[in-house]
Amino acid sequence: MPPAGAADKKTEILEIDARNLQTDLVERAGQVIRDGGTCAFPTETVYGLGADGLNPDAVRKIFEAKGRPGDNPLILHIAYPEQIALLTTELTENARAMAEAFWPGPLTLVVRRSGIVPDTVSAGLETVAVRCPSHPVAHALILQADTPIAAPSANLSGSPSPTSGEHVVRDLDGRVDMILVSDDSQIGVESTVVDTTKVPPVILRPGRITKEDLEAVVGEVRLSEGITSGAEPEHPASPGMKYTHYSPRAEVYLTDGTDEETERAIRKACEDADGTIAILTTGPVTEKLRDDMIVLSLGDDPEQYEHNLFSELRRLDDLGADRIFVRMPAAGDRTLAVRDRLMHAAGYRFLPKDE
Ligand code: AMP
Ligand code: MG
């Protein structure tokens, strides 16, 4: 957690209309970034916490505000795809093809970094992660700042990513210079991260753009260890993967398997558990087994699960849940991202199968 006493900044909170940008507000936000300050802003994936990505002192403020470990590198956000040329010494044919197919959009490319990328951004790695977001506020802010913007998700390190301005204000008011509040994030989970320095390219973090989407453009793509195994990876391919992530205050437990298996596992766990229990379901709805139990659904398809996941985890904290039992969606290309975030949120904890 961030050091106590760090929340003493005067944070300016501005409401910005994504469909009809107020240029004076964008100019003020761009000035904050140019002056070396921190500004949270909406993107199509989740809200980001930005600073001038070429200014090491500014970048350091991001780590401080979030309480983020310094060895977890940041993503640089650019306004136009061509600007990646500035940040890398080598754009492979695969990287070029993926950028052309999916930018602007929810895809992050890991490439060899050029000399202008500060060590603080890439945490000393020889590579840097780059994304060109499609959200109009993000695009306008990067243009106005006139520099690549380094931005991780705009939450306190370890907690669920923010998908609304309200989430950001709750986590970062008093810790950053400015927060741009706009519409809720359309996608709801972070970008797909792919290491383009490897042949074939390797997905380090699954997201809305799936393995099959990428393979349609560049041929074979691999998944890094841990994404599919359902267990903590022994050698994390991406530094960020070794940290607790996306975790609500409540303890999260997962169930996987047929509808009957997950139903039985949850019933058994409910018998043994005290405190306020919540069930977070994908697909089949478990009936309330007790009056004080909370039952929430993530929706009807993988895109809805992604859209709702983080806001529902935060909602369950607000409702006072002590334990959350999750019915995971069946494994598949389009459910990888939501399963990955759930496994992190649960620290890979599964309910025992009740044989
Ligand atoms: P966040 O900014 O919190 O959305 O996380 C960015 C993710 O990208 C983290 O999992 C990082 O570890 C990962 N990442 C950023 N830069 C690199 C890099 N150069 N190589 C591998 N992974 C990276
Ligand atoms: Mg994050």
Side-chain angles (χ1 to χ4, degrees), residues 267-303:
R267 277 178 181 271
K268 176 78 174 58
C270 287
E271 283 168 19
D272 300 339
D274 46 21
T276 303
I277 294 172
I279 293 174
L280 194 56
T281 176
T282 54
V285 173
T286 301
E287 64 187 276
K288 274 195 183 194
L289 304 172
R290 300 201 315 229
D291 273 352
D292 60 350
M293 202 158 137
I294 306 163
V295 180
L296 289 181
S297 167
L298 285 179
D300 301 321
D301 64 47
E303 296 197 354

Side-chain angles (χ1 to χ4, degrees), residues 23 42 47 116 131 198 222 261 263 268 272-273 277 323:
T23 43
Y47 273 69
I116 67 165
R131 179 163 102 84
K198 300 275 171 24
R222 298 219 174 119
E261 282 168 338
E263 177 81 28
K268 176 78 174 58
D272 300 339
I277 294 172
R323 287 187 185 73

Side-chain angles (χ1 to χ4, degrees), residues 197 250 308:
T197 68
N308 297 327

Side-chain angles (χ1 to χ4, degrees), residues 177-260:
D177 295 304
M178 184 177 275
I179 298 173
L180 297 181
V181 172
S182 191
D183 49 353
D184 291 354
S185 303
Q186 231 184 323
I187 293 176
V189 293
E190 303 83 349
S191 57
T192 306
V193 178
V194 53
D195 184 348
T196 72
T197 68
K198 300 275 171 24
V199 182
V202 178
I203 294 178
L204 303 178
R205 176 172 76 186
R208 176 64 58 89
I209 293 173
T210 68
K211 180 170 179 283
E212 288 178 13
D213 293 335
L214 294 172
E215 286 183 330
V217 175
V218 296
E220 188 190 358
V221 171
R222 298 219 174 119
L223 292 168
S224 77
E225 183 208 354
I227 291 181
T228 45
S229 69
E232 204 152 5
E234 245 173 77
H235 309 287
S238 183
M241 289 177 192
K242 64 176 183 275
Y243 294 109
T244 311
H245 252 112
Y246 323 123
S247 297
R249 190 190 51 76
E251 287 178 2
V252 182
Y253 295 84
L254 307 174
T255 64
D256 211 0
T258 65
D259 290 353
E260 293 72 30

Side-chain angles (χ1 to χ4, degrees), residues 66 68 152-153 155 161 190 205 245-246:
K66 287 191 54 139
R68 182 176 173 109
S153 47
N155 53 284
S161 299
E190 303 83 349
R205 176 172 76 186
H245 252 112
Y246 323 123

Side-chain angles (χ1 to χ4, degrees), residues 28-94:
R28 277 165 65 190
Q31 191 65 46
V32 167
I33 301 283
R34 280 200 303 278
D35 289 345
T38 47
C39 175
F41 61 97
T43 87
E44 69 276 22
T45 56
V46 301
Y47 273 69
L49 172 57
D52 180 348
L54 303 184
N55 173 347
D57 290 330
V59 170
R60 235 169 260 125
K61 293 179 189 169
I62 294 177
F63 287 91
E64 279 164 28
K66 287 191 54 139
R68 182 176 173 109
D71 65 348
N72 191 1
L74 305 177
I75 295 171
L76 287 181
H77 294 73
I78 52 179
Y80 295 110
E82 307 76 65
Q83 291 168 339
I84 192 175
L86 197 71
L87 304 173
T88 184
T89 51
E90 187 196 7
L91 199 60
T92 62
E93 203 36 59
N94 279 339

